[in-house]
Amino acid sequence: MLQNGFFDVPPGKVATVVTHLEMRAPQRRGTPLPEGLAFASLPRDTDIYRGLFRRIGQPWLWFGRLRMPDEELQAILDDARVHLFTLLKDGTPEALLELDFRVAGACELAYFGLSDALIGQGAGSYLMDQAVDRAFDQEITRFHVHTCTLDSPQALGFYRRCGFVPVRQQIEIADDPRVIGLLPESAGPHVPLFRG
């Protein structure tokens, strides 16, 4: 049984509270595509993917796909059950939408994020409508996502406003990606770095 109280996080590690959310029936907000943007498929190329992943996720210490070997990531990107989309601004990908249908009857919103170039324009709401439409176009009963306390403070509220319902929480402890060299020490300035 887990005891109440405070627990030390070892040096070189980072701890976060992860909230799992799900949607059982499609809920759309009806947000139009913001002017000057285009919705498009994202090329299934590890360099393009990782570049966008890093640009969007570095402020929030996204690291899962950075520590993954190239061949493992390419296998995910090549899987027809993984759908990748972006929003283009002046021809440049500025958003990441990754839908994972590899588990029968479900779709995981594996990654969802915008670069700073799109924040505050309604792009996130539009992109979520695209995610919901594409998820429920398939034979699923569960559309799910997780976010954590390292992510943008707006993320959890955004997912809830979009119709996702919190169903579970976990504590995750992992190697701090800044300590092991996956991200620069300047990444995630809102998260203290403890080298030990």
Side-chain angles (χ1 to χ4, degrees), residues 56 74 140 173:
I56 291 171
Q74 192 63 61
I140 68 164
I173 297 177

Side-chain angles (χ1 to χ4, degrees), residues 15 19 24 30 56 62 65 67 85 87-88 91 117 125 129-130 139 142 144 159:
T19 301
R24 293 290 184 162
I56 291 171
W62 288 10
R65 295 293 169 81
R67 66 181 176 190
F85 301 97
L87 291 172
L88 300 173
S125 293
D129 277 351
Q130 299 307 307
E139 295 290 324
R142 179 173 178 254
H144 63 104
Y159 290 133

Side-chain angles (χ1 to χ4, degrees), residues 143-188:
F143 185 30
H144 63 104
V145 65
H146 67 269
T147 187
C148 72
T149 50
L150 298 180
D151 209 349
S152 165
Q154 288 81 32
L156 182 56
F158 173 77
Y159 290 133
R160 294 180 78 178
R161 286 190 303 277
C162 290
F164 287 94
V165 176
V167 293
R168 176 170 64 125
Q169 282 190 320
Q170 296 177 300
I171 302 294
E172 179 183 19
I173 297 177
D175 292 331
D176 190 315
R178 299 165 297 184
V179 171
I180 61 175
L182 289 177
L183 291 172
E185 288 194 10
S186 60

Side-chain angles (χ1 to χ4, degrees), residues 70-132:
D70 286 350
E71 57 278 0
E72 188 178 336
L73 176 57
Q74 192 63 61
I76 292 170
L77 301 183
D78 288 342
D79 195 313
R81 298 167 298 173
V82 175
H83 302 190
L84 301 169
F85 301 97
T86 191
L87 291 172
L88 300 173
K89 183 174 184 177
D90 300 323
T92 301
E94 298 289 352
L96 178 57
L97 169 57
E98 181 177 336
L99 300 172
D100 187 338
F101 294 93
R102 291 179 293 169
V103 173
C107 176
E108 180 183 6
L109 181 57
Y111 286 98
F112 183 94
L114 307 174
S115 74
D116 288 342
L118 300 187
I119 302 295
Q121 301 177 31
S125 293
Y126 172 82
L127 193 62
M128 183 59 76
D129 277 351
Q130 299 307 307
V132 170

